């Protein structure tokens, strides 16, 4: 185990949930830095009504850090539970309401998340990437025409191909604790996850982007198991790396991790990794049931070997 290594995982949603589920098995010094641009569902409603950060991706990250004992499993299920009704509570996740209640009670976003983490017995810390809610502006190409789509939900569901993203406000303040975690890390992990709405936005927060360049940490990209409908339709694994390079030309990557069943052209992918300054590691990290999901234990084993320089 790489328990003494400080690891920071960047992302949001189901992709970050997958990486955190693996990383909590590898290190006890784990920090999640989470996107805060969600504008849909329960998160969007709370954001619009109360002016808070969208709590959904933060909640999912906390749930992923819960342990495998009865306490951890129970609280993970509770915070992920959604109300089903004909009234105003319909669709709200319990964890979203709990997080926002602590924010209102304490008046401190980071302290509120830390309190929820203590309640859940989370194996790590969860931080927002910015201290203010963000909106995504996506440059989308459809039928030869380029337009701008606003909002994370619209970006994720667009029928066109996303070419690039930016954030509104254009110069958002980073969460200071997130910047510090990146600067003190031994490893920073990008992905897996929705490329344009969960992974790349971190590179558009200036202070965080600068920290990602300055940190002494080694950097790893965990590639997705399948393109995401709308966002990355038709993207090869190497295309994901090309887009990453376009959004952060100065960023170097040490390791690119890809599942052996996904990378059809290992030579091209190896070349794309090398252009980012890194090496390619291919390993079976997908769930055995054939679904495009990472297996937490498999991914943990491979990450542990990479961190300990055994692979």
């Amino acid at each position: 185990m790489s328990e003494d290594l400080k690891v920071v995982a960047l992302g949001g949603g189901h992709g970050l949930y997958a990486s955190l589920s693996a990383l909590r098995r590898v290190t006890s010094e784990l920090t999640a830095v989470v996107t805060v641009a969600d504008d849909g569902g329960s998160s969007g409603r709370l954001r619009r009504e109360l002016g808070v950060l969208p709590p959904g991706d933060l909640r999912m990250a906390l749930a992923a850090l819960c342990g495998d004992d009865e306490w951890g499993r129970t609280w993970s299920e509770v915070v992920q539970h959604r109300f089903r009704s004909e009234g105003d509570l319909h669709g709200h996740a319990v964890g979203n309401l709990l997080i926002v209640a602590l924010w209102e009670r304490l008046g401190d976003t980071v302290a509120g998340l830390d309190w929820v983490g203590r309640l859940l017995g989370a194996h790590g810390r969860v931080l927002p990437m910015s201290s203010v809610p963000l909106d995504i502006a996506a440059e989308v190409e459809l039928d030869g025409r380029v337009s701008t789509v606003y909002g994370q939900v619209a970006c994720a569901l667009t029928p066109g191909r996303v070419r690039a993203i930016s954030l509104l406000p254009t110069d958002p303040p980073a969460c200071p604790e997130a910047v510090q975690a990146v600067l003190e890390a031994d490893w920073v992990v990008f992905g897996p996850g929705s490329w344009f709405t969960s992974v790349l936005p971190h590179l558009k927060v200036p202070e965080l982007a600068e920290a990602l360049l300055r940190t002494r940490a080694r950097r790893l990209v965990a590639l997705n198991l399948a393109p995401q409908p709308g966002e990355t339709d038709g993207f090869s694994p190497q295309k994901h790396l090309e887009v990453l390079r376009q959004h952060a030309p100065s960023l170097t990557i040490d390791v690119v991790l890809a599942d052996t069943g996904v990378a059809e052209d290992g030579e091209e992918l190896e070349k794309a990794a090398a252009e980012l300054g890194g090496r390619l590691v291919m390993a079976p990290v997908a769930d055995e049931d054939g679904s495009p999901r990472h297996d937490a234990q498999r991914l943990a084993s491979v990450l542990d070997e990479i961190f300990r320089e055994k692979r």
Side-chain angles (χ1 to χ4, degrees):
M1 297 291 285
S2 312
E3 290 186 359
D4 57 336
L5 291 179
K6 294 181 178 179
V7 180
V8 172
L10 308 179
H14 294 283
L16 183 61
Y17 186 97
S19 64
L20 294 177
S21 298
L23 287 166
R24 68 174 171 82
R25 293 168 161 85
V26 175
T27 178
S28 59
E29 297 287 336
L30 176 58
T31 302
V33 177
V34 184
T35 182
V36 285
D38 193 3
D39 60 350
S42 171
S43 286
R45 290 158 63 192
L46 290 168
R47 172 181 175 170
R48 288 187 292 273
E49 185 171 339
L50 301 174
V52 296
L53 294 177
D57 286 343
L58 298 161
R59 179 202 80 242
M60 284 193 69
L62 284 162
L65 293 175
C66 288
D68 295 319
D69 57 356
E70 184 181 12
W71 182 274
R73 289 193 304 272
T74 300
W75 275 111
S76 179
E77 292 171 2
V78 168
V79 297
Q80 295 281 63
H81 176 77
R82 289 186 185 273
F83 294 105
R84 295 286 177 258
S85 73
E86 299 298 322
D88 292 340
L89 271 178
H90 178 73
H92 273 305
V94 171
N96 289 357
L97 302 177
L98 176 62
I99 290 169
V100 173
L102 277 160
W103 286 345
E104 290 195 346
R105 176 71 180 83
L106 300 173
D108 187 318
T109 299
V110 172
L113 293 168
D114 286 343
W115 270 93
V116 179
R118 287 165 61 188
L119 173 64
L120 272 54
H123 295 250
R125 194 181 194 195
V126 172
L127 299 169
M129 71 176 185
S130 175
S131 52
V132 300
L134 303 176
D135 285 301
I136 290 176
E139 185 182 292
V140 176
E141 182 177 354
L142 180 62
D143 298 329
R145 298 179 60 185
V146 177
S147 60
T148 302
V149 171
Y150 295 95
Q152 179 170 314
V153 172
C155 178
L157 298 178
T158 179
R161 171 173 285 194
V162 180
R163 298 187 357 172
I165 59 108
S166 57
L167 295 178
L168 300 172
T170 55
D171 189 16
C175 170
E177 291 86 350
V179 171
Q180 194 63 31
V182 168
L183 292 174
E184 294 176 356
D186 296 298
W187 280 89
V188 174
V189 177
F190 298 84
S194 302
W195 219 240
F196 287 101
T197 54
S198 292
V199 178
L200 297 179
H202 293 76
L203 302 170
K204 294 299 181 180
V205 179
E207 293 166 289
L208 188 56
E210 182 184 356
L212 289 166
L213 292 177
R214 288 175 47 208
T215 181
R216 63 184 176 84
R218 284 175 283 181
R219 307 171 189 88
L220 180 145
V221 172
L223 288 172
N224 292 336
L225 298 173
Q228 182 170 357
E231 271 195 44
T232 54
D233 271 330
F235 274 34
S236 64
Q238 52 267 30
K239 179 65 174 178
H240 286 75
L241 298 182
E242 292 168 11
V243 170
L244 176 63
R245 190 179 181 192
Q246 290 166 9
H247 282 75
S250 301
L251 185 72
T252 57
I253 299 297
D254 295 273
V255 178
V256 173
L257 174 59
D259 181 71
T260 48
V262 172
E264 297 178 359
D265 193 335
E267 188 174 324
E268 284 299 312
L269 185 53
E270 192 169 5
K271 180 181 176 182
E275 288 176 352
L276 285 167
R279 63 186 180 88
L280 174 65
V281 173
M282 297 179 65
V285 291
D287 198 305
E288 289 182 335
D289 65 7
S291 63
R293 295 180 302 183
H294 286 80
D295 178 87
Q297 193 56 59
R298 282 180 163 189
L299 183 57
S301 297
V302 175
L303 288 171
D304 184 49
E305 289 180 359
I306 292 171
F307 293 165
R308 292 188 294 115
E309 300 182 349
K310 301 292 185 182
R311 182 188 284 265

